[in-house]
């Protein structure tokens, strides 16, 4: 339309202008529309940015964080977040916070779903929750209000995330402030929720695809599938790059791309399978899916393989076949199983043996007997189609003994056999004794072969049973004879010169049988053993058939023994026995046993008898020597006693008579010493000597001996040096008397064999650290005459005395050092001697010493008290008149009134009839007729009178050993004096007990 031309008009006057009609236009509506448009555009831009961020599903957590930041910034909110619902609880999984806003993600985990019941109702309807003012819900939802108020939340919007009609969470925003976009917030949050849902679904789909691809890769790898692509038009194969395919390429020398297929591959296929191979490719080339099983030709160093090839054809948009995907699977093991199965089926039909008693075929998976055939009457039988386990129960009823480490159920039941097959056990056997109707039980060996049926996957078993009764009896016979010590049993057939030998294997379970020509077998046996050359001819002759037969003409059993060296280098003694089996004399029974231990025992017994005879001879020699030495020394002492007594009796000169009597006393003391030492040595040798330990001060042990021997040293002007200052005044637990006997013997010998003016040293040292359990050392040394080196080995022998001019005068029994050596040994110590002729001798004794806690110290020496026994009255119980006379004279010489009783019973009667306290003491001989001293002592102690229990009773005895002293004390005796009576000891003992 053409606009009409305007008519020119003259300029209006002011008045005319004033008359014009002015109108005002309202433009606020257009501004609102513009702002709404801008808000829509900004919301659309925000949504676009969010969608772009969510495209990167490979980093979905980062993308979701970015989306929350975008909407938080856009609405100037305090917080934006995503919650996930899992196991009926809420979990804050993502959170964005504005400036100066405290994160709450750690506090919002595992919240009960019941807190948002109001929200869930809206979410199920697909709606958003929009709360513009939290104060409005205070009455409607007090719990929700409280939670929001605690977090300073005044407004919020929540949109559900729904996947496959299931609410999996929600996206929300707290305290949004952008007013120009608030009207779009609900649809925006819904859109974002849909975008997030889509992203989550895409990620799950991608993960599932990746998992599927990984499972497919692992499946192909575990199945060892060879894969390739076949280009139908070009007739080429491109092999894949998986492990199984690479292995095939290496084994068969295949390139990555194979051309001129299938003709180029025909030479690699077994001739019998070439036809099926070409037919498969014909089908593929015409667009048909196809498969074929084929054996590859055997290659040097490569086991034959059978593969199953499967092709899937792909077509283009016009339906033409363009390519095919091929998969090759190694089925060699399966084909071998099929072949073995077919062979087993054939064997079942044709296998038979004179020892076979039954065979059968069963389907274990279906628990059914397929076939069973028995060749012996009266044994177990089963029928085709019968329940397998029920049939086995009938067999179990007939089995009364199983020779197997496995339970019988695991060898028979279908379930157990299937489990064994699944563990790779395809062949197993066991032996058992089977009851047979009307016959003796028989031993049976059953062999089982298990297979998986190729066509169905069922597990089947083929079972064969054999009568092995003869083998078991033979094995039991050999085993029993082996228990009796026989290692080999056999028969030699004299007419043919052959033999059969039976022996058990190393485990003793199976019998090993061998045989052949006897003479040649004997040569092989001798050659295989380590036998000295000089013995081979002797053994060969002794075990030859001619020698055996000739010997059996004279005796029923011919025996022979020889030694061999076994494989471990040990010498073994073998014992052979031969005898005829029966009167026909055409079969020899032979057995061989190992008698090494018996032979060794016999040799040892012979050695022991020889040694015992030698010891007995030595003992007799020692006994003769001992008796000779004792006899000599006793006669020497008696010669002195009798000779000087005779001289004294016929001498009128008082001085000479007194000198003779002094020599009689000396000879008597020497005889007493000899008797005491001989008895002491006898007790030691018989093992009767025991240690009586007590707590003793260390210095006291030494000082007593030193004090006793110092006068003897001074008489010879010998310097006696003691050195015990290095030993503390300790309390030791030791047999005091035996220790002092050792020290006394060594020290007295040193004084005896040291000339006048010499030096004798005695010392005790600490052995630190202890040596061989000994911690104290006693040393006694002198500069005397010394010992001849040739005599040193005999020094500790009984009655050993060196016959040298300078050693002729000292007297002694010759038993002292022998006793010392034995006491030291009993105390667990050692003694050694060093000596130089003419320069002196040094004895060293090492002893183990125990210590008592705390220091005992030596008791203070009491001031001597002068006491007398004059005026006392003693009851003397003594049956020997001479002894009684000596004792009476000695006692009366000190003013003691003596009343004698001739035996123990008379002594008890005298004491009982006397007035109380009329006797100050009783001297009781231990050995008396009628009643001995100990019995008399007990009788006196038992009397009902006040002095019976307190009167001192002194044992008068020739038995002064520890056990005798102990028995005397147990009987009630207070002390003892030794026969022959020593004047000083007698008076000292009485003074201590009854002195006034």
């Amino acid at each position: 339309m053409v606009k009409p031309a305007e008519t020119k008009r003259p300029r209006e006057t002011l008045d005319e202008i004033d008359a014009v009609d002015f109108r005002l236009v309202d433009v606020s509506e257009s501004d609102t529309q513009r702002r709404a448009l801008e808000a829509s555009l900004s919301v659309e831009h925000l949504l676009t940015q969010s969608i772009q961020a969510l495209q990167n599903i490979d980093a979905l957590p980062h993308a979701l964080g970015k989306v929350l930041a975008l909407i938080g910034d856009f609405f100037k909110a305090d917080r934006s977040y995503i919650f996930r619902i899992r196991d009926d609880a809420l979990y804050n999984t993502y959170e964005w916070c504005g400036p100066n806003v405290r994160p709450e993600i750690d506090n919002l985990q595992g919240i009960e779903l019941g807190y948002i019941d109001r929200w869930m109702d809206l979410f199920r309807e697909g709606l958003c929750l929009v709360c513009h003012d939290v104060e409005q819900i205070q009455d409607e939802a007090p719990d929700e209000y409280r939670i929001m108020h605690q977090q300073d939340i005044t407004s919020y919007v929540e949109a559900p995330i729904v996947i496959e009609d299931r609410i999996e969470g929600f996206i929300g925003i707290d305290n949004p402030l952008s007013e120009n976009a608030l009207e779009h917030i609900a649809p925006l949050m819904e859109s974002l929720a849909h975008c997030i849902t889509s992203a989550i679904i895409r990620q799950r789909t991608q993960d599932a695809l990746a998992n599927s691809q990984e499972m497919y890769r692992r499946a192909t790898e575990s199945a060892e599938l060879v894969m390739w692509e076949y280009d139908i038009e070009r007739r080429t194969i491109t092999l894949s790059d998986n492990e199984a395919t690479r292995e095939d390429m290496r084994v068969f020398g295949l390139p990555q791309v194979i051309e001129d297929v299938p003709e180029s591959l025909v030479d690699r296929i077994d001739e019998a399978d070439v036809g099926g191979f070409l037919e498969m490719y014909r089908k593929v080339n015409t667009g048909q899916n196809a498969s074929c099983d084929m054996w590859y030709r055997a290659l040097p160093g490569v086991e034959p393989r059978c593969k199953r090839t499967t092709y899937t054809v792909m077509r283009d948009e016009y339906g033409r076949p363009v390519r095919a995907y091929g998969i090759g699977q190694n089925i060699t093991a399966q084909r071998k199983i099929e072949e073995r199965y077919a062979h087993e089926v054939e064997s079942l039909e044709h296998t038979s043996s004179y020892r076979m008693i039954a065979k059968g075929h069963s389907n274990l998976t279906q628990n059914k007997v397929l076939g069973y055939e028995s060749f012996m009457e009266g044994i177990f039988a089963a029928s085709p189609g019968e329940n397998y386990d029920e049939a086995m129960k009938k067999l179990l009823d007939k089995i009364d003994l199983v020779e197997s480490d496995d339970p019988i159920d695991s060898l028979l039941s279908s379930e157990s056999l299937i489990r064994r097959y699944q563990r790779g056990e395809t062949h197993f056997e066991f032996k058992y004794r089977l009851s047979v109707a009307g016959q003796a039980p028989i031993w049976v060996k059953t062999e089982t072969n298990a297979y998986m049926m190729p066509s169905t996957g069922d597990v089947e078993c083929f079972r064969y049973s054999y009568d092995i009764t003869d083998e078991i009896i033979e094995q039991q016979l050999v085993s029993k004879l082996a228990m009796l010590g026989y290692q080999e049993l056999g028969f030699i057939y004299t007419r043919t010169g052959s033999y059969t030998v039976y022996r058990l294997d190393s485990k003793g379970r199976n019998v090993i049988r061998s045989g052949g020509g006897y003479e040649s077998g004997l040569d092989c046996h001798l050659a295989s053993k380590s036998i000295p050359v000089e013995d081979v001819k002797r053994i060969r002759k002794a075990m030859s058939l001619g020698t055996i037969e000739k010997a059996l003409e004279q005796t029923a059993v011919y025996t022979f023994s020889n030694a061999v060296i076994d494989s471990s280098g040990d010498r073994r003694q073998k014992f052979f026995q031969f005898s005829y089996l029966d009167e026909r004399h055409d079969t020899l029974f032979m057995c061989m046993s190992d008698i090494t231990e018996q032979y060794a025992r016999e040799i040892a017994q012979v050695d022991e008898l020889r040694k015992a005879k030698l010891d007995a001879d030595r003992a007799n020699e020692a006994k003769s020597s001992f008796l000779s030495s004792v006899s000599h020394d006793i006669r020497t002492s008696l010669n002195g006693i009798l000779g000087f007594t005779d001289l004294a009796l016929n001498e009128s000169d008082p001085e000479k008579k007194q000198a003779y009597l002094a020599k009689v006393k000396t000879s008597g003391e020497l005889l007493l010493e000899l008797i005491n030492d001989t008895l002491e040595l006898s007790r030691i040798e018989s093992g009767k000597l025991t240690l009586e330990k007590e707590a003793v001060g260390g210095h006291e042990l030494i000082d007593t001996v030193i004090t006793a021997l110092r006068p003897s040293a001074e008489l010879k002007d010998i310097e006696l040096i003691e050195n015990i200052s290095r030993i503390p005044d300790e309390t030791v637990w030791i047999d005091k008397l035996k220790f002092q006997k050792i020290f006394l013997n060594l020290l007295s010998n040193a004084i005896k064999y040291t000339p006048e003016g010499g030096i004798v040293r005695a010392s005790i040292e600490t052995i630190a650290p202890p040596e061989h359990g000994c911690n104290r050392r006693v040393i006694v040394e002198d500069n005397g005459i010394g010992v001849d080196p040739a005599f040193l080995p005999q020094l500790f022998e009984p009655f050993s005395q060196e016959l040298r001019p300078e050693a002729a005068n000292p007297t002694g029994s010759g038993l002292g050092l022998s006793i010392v050596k034995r006491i030291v040994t009993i105390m667990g110590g050692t003694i050694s001697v060093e000596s130089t002729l003419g320069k002196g001798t040094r004895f060293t004794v090492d002893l183990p010493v125990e210590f008592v806690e705390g220091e005992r110290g030596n008791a203070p020496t009491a001031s001597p008290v002068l006491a007398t026994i004059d005026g006392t009255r003693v009851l003397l119980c003594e049956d020997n008149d001479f002894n009684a006379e000596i004792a009476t004279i000695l006692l009366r010489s000190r003013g003691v009134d003596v009343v004698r009783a001739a035996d123990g019973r008379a002594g008890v009667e005298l004491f009982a009839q006397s007035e109380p306290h009329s006797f100050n003491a009783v001297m009781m001989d231990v050995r008396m007729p009628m009643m001995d001293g100990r019995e008399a002592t007990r009788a006196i102690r038992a009397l009902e009178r006040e002095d019976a229990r307190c009167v001192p009773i002194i044992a008068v005895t020739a038995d002064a050993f520890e056990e005798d002293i102990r028995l005397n004390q147990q009987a009630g005796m207070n002390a003892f004096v030794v026969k022959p009576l020593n004047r000083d000891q007698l008076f000292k003992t009485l003074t201590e007990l009854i002195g006034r």
Side-chain angles (χ1 to χ4, degrees):
M1 182 177 206
V2 181
K3 184 178 180 180
E6 295 182 355
T7 302
K8 187 176 180 180
R9 296 179 60 192
R11 181 179 179 85
E12 293 92 343
T13 63
L14 185 59
D15 295 330
E16 291 175 329
I17 294 173
D18 292 335
V20 176
D21 184 13
F22 286 96
R23 290 184 295 174
L24 296 175
V25 180
D26 186 359
V27 296
S28 61
E29 183 176 352
S30 61
D31 289 339
T32 300
Q33 292 175 348
R34 177 180 56 78
R35 286 194 296 274
L37 180 59
E38 289 176 351
S40 297
L41 291 174
S42 60
V43 167
E44 183 178 342
H45 180 66
L46 172 62
L47 191 57
T48 302
Q49 288 180 298
S50 299
I51 292 172
Q52 290 174 346
L54 292 171
Q55 293 302 309
N56 185 15
I57 60 173
D58 290 333
L60 186 60
H62 176 73
L64 291 173
K66 185 174 182 181
V67 170
L68 292 178
L70 287 171
I71 62 175
D73 282 339
F74 182 80
F75 287 107
K76 296 181 177 56
D78 287 348
R79 187 183 292 105
S80 58
Y81 43 81
I82 293 176
F83 275 80
R84 300 293 296 272
I85 299 174
R86 186 170 65 249
D87 299 329
D88 293 330
L90 292 170
Y91 296 87
N92 190 176
T93 51
Y94 301 99
E95 181 186 51
W96 172 90
C97 295
N100 302 320
V101 177
R102 184 179 69 252
E104 294 288 345
I105 188 169
D106 293 336
N107 302 323
L108 300 175
Q109 303 296 324
I111 300 173
E112 293 182 14
L113 199 60
Y115 283 111
I116 61 166
D117 284 345
R118 188 172 72 91
W119 301 8
M120 293 296 290
D121 292 340
L122 294 172
F123 291 165
R124 293 188 187 96
E125 296 178 9
L127 301 176
C128 286
L129 171 70
V130 180
C131 180
H132 293 291
D133 185 0
V134 74
E135 297 297 332
Q136 296 177 359
I137 66 167
Q138 183 174 2
D139 297 331
E140 178 186 355
D143 291 339
E144 183 180 339
Y145 170 80
R146 178 176 50 80
I147 293 174
M148 297 303 179
H149 191 268
Q150 289 174 351
Q151 300 179 63
D152 296 327
I153 298 174
T154 58
S155 60
Y156 47 93
V157 180
E158 318 293 339
I161 297 173
V162 181
I163 299 176
E164 296 180 354
D165 297 328
R166 187 177 64 187
I167 302 171
E168 294 208 4
F170 55 86
I171 179 172
I173 187 169
D174 293 343
N175 300 335
L177 299 179
S178 296
E179 296 180 359
N180 59 341
L182 284 178
E183 61 186 85
H184 301 284
I185 194 167
L188 173 62
M189 295 295 285
E190 288 179 355
S191 299
L192 287 175
H194 287 304
C195 292
I196 291 171
T197 299
S198 176
I200 292 173
I201 292 173
R202 290 202 313 277
Q203 184 196 42
R204 291 181 179 177
T205 304
Q206 179 174 298
D207 291 344
L209 178 61
N211 290 336
S212 297
Q213 291 173 340
E214 178 63 18
M215 289 176 63
Y216 177 73
R217 184 189 67 79
R218 292 185 179 182
T220 56
E221 293 292 348
S222 62
E224 298 181 349
L225 297 178
V226 179
M227 298 183 293
W228 66 89
E229 181 181 332
Y230 173 48
D231 189 322
I232 296 176
E233 183 178 355
R234 296 181 180 180
R235 299 293 194 268
T236 60
I237 284 177
T238 302
L239 294 169
S240 296
D241 192 31
N242 66 315
E243 184 175 347
T245 305
R246 290 194 299 271
E247 176 65 13
D248 253 29
M249 292 169 62
R250 184 190 66 79
V251 171
F252 295 105
L254 297 173
Q256 187 81 35
V257 178
I258 304 172
E259 298 181 348
D260 194 19
V261 179
E263 286 76 8
S264 62
L265 296 175
V266 168
D267 291 342
R268 300 177 182 274
I269 308 302
D270 187 273
E271 185 176 351
D273 293 331
V274 168
F277 173 74
L278 294 176
E279 175 62 19
M280 176 184 67
Y281 273 96
R282 187 194 66 75
K283 290 181 178 180
V284 172
N285 291 337
T286 58
Q288 302 177 59
N289 296 336
S291 66
C292 176
D293 293 351
M294 67 199 81
W295 284 94
Y296 282 74
R297 288 181 184 272
L299 297 176
V302 180
E303 290 188 4
R305 293 192 186 186
C306 183
K307 291 211 171 182
R308 174 168 295 158
T309 299
T310 303
Y311 267 116
T312 302
V313 177
M314 307 300 292
R315 300 175 182 274
D316 62 10
E317 63 271 22
Y318 302 108
R320 294 175 299 186
V322 291
R323 63 183 179 278
Y325 293 105
I327 295 176
Q329 184 179 11
N330 189 343
I331 60 169
T332 306
Q334 178 181 339
R335 288 296 293 271
K336 287 183 177 180
I337 291 174
E338 293 173 356
E339 291 175 357
R340 288 199 299 270
Y341 179 82
H343 176 73
E344 193 77 48
V345 171
E346 184 178 356
S347 297
L348 183 68
E349 295 177 358
H350 300 97
T351 298
S352 62
S353 166
Y354 78 94
R355 294 193 308 151
M356 182 179 286
I357 60 173
K359 58 183 179 180
H361 177 201
S362 301
N363 187 312
L364 299 176
T365 303
Q366 298 181 15
N367 196 20
K368 182 169 65 176
V369 177
L370 301 179
Y372 189 85
E373 188 174 2
S374 174
F375 305 103
M376 183 177 181
E377 293 184 3
I379 66 169
F380 162 77
S383 304
E386 186 177 355
N387 181 281
Y388 170 83
D389 284 333
E390 292 296 330
M392 290 304 102
K393 288 180 181 178
K394 292 191 294 183
L395 174 61
L396 279 173
D397 292 339
K398 291 180 173 289
I399 295 176
D400 63 355
L401 183 63
V402 179
E403 190 179 279
S404 172
D405 296 332
D406 299 319
I408 184 63
D409 180 66
S410 69
L411 301 169
L412 290 177
S413 73
S414 60
E415 183 179 350
S416 298
L417 291 178
I418 290 174
R419 280 201 303 269
R420 294 178 75 131
Y421 177 83
Q422 291 169 345
R423 293 197 302 264
E425 298 179 58
T426 59
H427 175 85
F428 31 87
E429 59 184 53
F430 65 103
K431 301 174 184 178
Y432 54 93
R433 193 168 63 191
L434 185 69
S435 299
V436 182
Q439 300 182 37
I442 64 171
W443 277 95
V444 178
K445 180 177 75 173
T446 293
E447 298 178 352
T448 301
N449 298 322
Y451 296 89
M452 180 172 285
M453 184 70 174
S455 58
T456 64
D458 289 352
V459 178
E460 298 184 359
C461 75
F462 297 82
R463 184 166 283 150
Y464 308 89
S465 297
Y466 302 90
D467 184 348
I468 58 168
T469 305
D470 291 344
E471 292 179 14
I472 294 295
I473 292 176
E474 181 181 275
Q475 179 178 334
Q476 291 174 339
L477 175 62
V478 175
S479 177
K480 292 298 181 184
L481 290 172
M483 289 175 61
L484 299 175
Y486 297 100
Q487 290 187 326
E488 291 185 0
L489 306 171
F491 303 97
I492 303 172
Y493 309 102
T494 56
R495 293 181 181 178
T496 62
S498 60
Y499 79 100
T500 303
V501 170
Y502 304 90
R503 61 183 176 86
L504 290 176
D505 61 11
S506 58
K507 295 183 178 179
R509 292 185 176 181
N510 299 311
V511 175
I512 299 176
R513 179 188 301 180
S514 59
Y518 176 75
E519 299 293 344
S520 60
L522 178 59
D523 290 335
C524 291
H525 172 78
L526 294 175
S528 66
K529 303 295 182 182
S530 298
I531 302 175
V533 177
E534 61 273 14
D535 290 343
V536 172
K537 290 184 179 180
R538 179 180 61 82
I539 297 172
R540 179 69 178 78
K541 181 180 179 181
M543 294 185 66
S544 69
L545 192 55
T547 301
I548 296 171
E549 289 179 310
K550 187 175 181 180
L552 290 177
E553 293 175 1
Q554 307 296 326
T555 182
V557 179
Y558 170 66
T559 61
F560 175 74
S561 176
N562 70 278
V564 299
I565 308 299
D566 64 14
S567 58
S568 61
D570 296 330
R571 182 183 180 91
R572 311 295 299 181
Q573 193 73 21
K574 305 296 182 180
F575 182 67
F576 295 86
Q577 295 173 280
F578 302 88
S579 65
Y580 284 115
L581 193 63
D582 52 35
E583 295 180 354
R584 290 180 297 178
H585 289 191
D586 59 356
T587 304
L588 284 169
F589 174 74
M590 178 205 74
C591 60
M592 185 270 286
S593 55
D594 189 315
I595 61 169
T596 303
E597 287 73 19
Q598 178 184 347
Y599 183 76
R601 286 196 298 270
E602 291 177 355
I603 294 297
Q605 287 174 355
V606 171
D607 289 342
E608 287 177 2
L609 290 174
R610 186 182 295 111
K611 182 181 177 182
K613 184 178 183 304
L614 183 61
D615 291 342
D617 292 342
R618 288 176 178 172
N620 286 331
E621 291 177 7
K623 181 179 179 181
S624 299
S625 176
F626 180 84
L627 291 174
S628 175
S629 298
V630 170
S631 174
H632 173 270
D633 288 354
I634 289 176
R635 288 178 182 276
T636 299
S637 299
L638 286 175
N639 182 59
I641 294 170
L642 297 174
F644 284 114
T645 300
D646 186 57
L647 290 173
L649 290 172
N650 295 300
E651 180 60 57
S652 58
D653 187 347
E655 290 185 3
K656 288 184 178 181
K657 185 186 292 285
Q658 193 67 22
Y660 291 152
L661 291 174
K663 290 179 180 180
V664 169
K665 185 175 186 298
T666 300
S667 297
E669 290 173 346
L670 180 60
L671 180 59
L672 179 61
E673 179 186 353
L674 174 63
I675 293 172
N676 286 337
D677 286 349
T678 302
L679 293 175
E680 180 82 4
L681 184 62
S682 174
R683 293 180 67 254
I684 293 174
E685 295 291 354
S686 63
K688 293 182 178 179
L689 186 69
T690 57
L691 299 179
E692 302 289 338
K693 295 184 179 182
E694 58 181 307
V696 187
H699 287 185
E700 179 186 345
L701 284 172
I702 308 301
D703 290 343
T704 304
V705 177
I706 296 288
T707 302
L709 292 179
R710 191 174 293 281
S712 300
E714 292 173 350
L715 285 175
K716 295 178 67 176
D717 196 22
I718 292 174
E719 184 181 1
L720 181 56
I721 302 172
E722 58 174 303
N723 184 11
I724 59 173
S725 58
R726 286 179 290 175
I727 299 297
D729 188 11
E730 57 201 0
T731 302
V732 297
W733 185 253
I734 198 169
D735 189 318
K736 175 182 176 181
L737 293 179
K738 292 183 179 59
F739 178 85
Q740 289 181 336
K741 189 174 187 66
I742 294 170
F743 194 46
L744 181 67
N745 267 281
L746 295 179
L747 198 58
S748 62
N749 271 355
I751 295 172
K752 184 187 299 182
Y753 293 105
T754 299
E756 292 184 3
I759 299 174
V760 174
R761 290 185 176 87
S763 63
I764 296 184
E765 300 176 354
T766 299
I767 305 175
E771 298 176 5
H772 308 293
C774 297
N775 53 6
R776 289 292 181 268
R777 177 168 291 158
V778 179
I779 300 173
V780 175
E781 55 186 331
D782 60 66
N783 62 351
I785 64 175
V787 182
D788 192 320
F791 185 73
L792 280 175
Q794 308 169 42
L795 193 61
F796 296 108
E797 295 295 325
F799 298 104
S800 295
Q801 289 182 316
E802 189 177 9
L803 301 178
R804 287 167 50 198
E806 62 267 43
N809 291 329
T811 58
S813 66
L815 296 174
L817 287 178
S818 179
I819 293 173
V820 165
K821 175 72 166 61
R822 285 158 174 76
I823 293 177
V824 168
T825 301
I826 291 172
M827 295 179 75
T830 61
I831 183 171
S832 61
V833 60
E834 304 170 44
S835 185
T836 303
L837 198 62
K839 293 186 178 181
T841 305
R842 173 189 173 103
F843 284 92
T844 303
V845 177
D846 291 350
L847 292 172
V849 176
E850 301 176 48
F851 301 97
V852 179
E853 292 293 332
E855 293 191 358
R856 175 178 175 272
N858 292 329
T861 303
S863 300
V865 177
L866 297 178
T868 180
I869 56 174
D870 185 20
T872 58
R873 190 166 185 247
V874 172
L875 173 61
L876 175 64
C877 300
E878 173 62 68
D879 64 306
N880 186 279
D881 292 338
F882 285 155
N883 290 341
E885 183 179 357
I886 292 171
T888 301
I889 293 171
L890 287 174
L891 291 171
R892 286 177 178 172
S893 70
R894 286 295 184 93
V896 177
D897 182 18
V898 179
V899 178
R900 181 198 172 189
D903 57 55
R905 180 176 296 171
V908 174
E909 291 175 353
L910 280 174
F911 186 87
Q913 294 168 5
S914 67
E915 293 293 326
H917 301 290
S918 60
F919 289 111
N920 297 101
V922 178
M923 290 183 62
M924 184 73 71
D925 183 19
V926 173
R927 296 180 183 270
M928 291 183 293
M930 305 300 290
M931 180 184 289
D932 66 30
R934 293 184 187 123
E935 187 178 353
T937 299
R938 283 191 285 268
I940 290 173
R941 296 297 188 201
L943 293 174
E944 295 294 333
R945 50 186 286 172
E946 55 181 315
D947 61 341
R949 298 194 180 188
C950 62
V951 62
I953 301 178
I954 303 165
V956 182
T957 178
D959 301 324
F961 300 121
E962 287 90 344
E963 58 267 30
D964 298 306
I965 295 171
R966 184 167 53 252
L967 290 173
N968 295 339
Q969 290 173 343
Q970 291 173 354
M973 297 181 180
N974 302 91
F976 73 95
V977 292
V978 182
K979 293 180 181 179
L981 291 176
N982 179 286
R983 178 194 301 267
D984 294 336
Q985 182 194 13
L986 174 62
F987 293 151
K988 179 175 180 292
T989 303
L990 284 171
T991 301
E992 289 175 352
L993 293 174
I994 62 175
R996 297 177 177 178

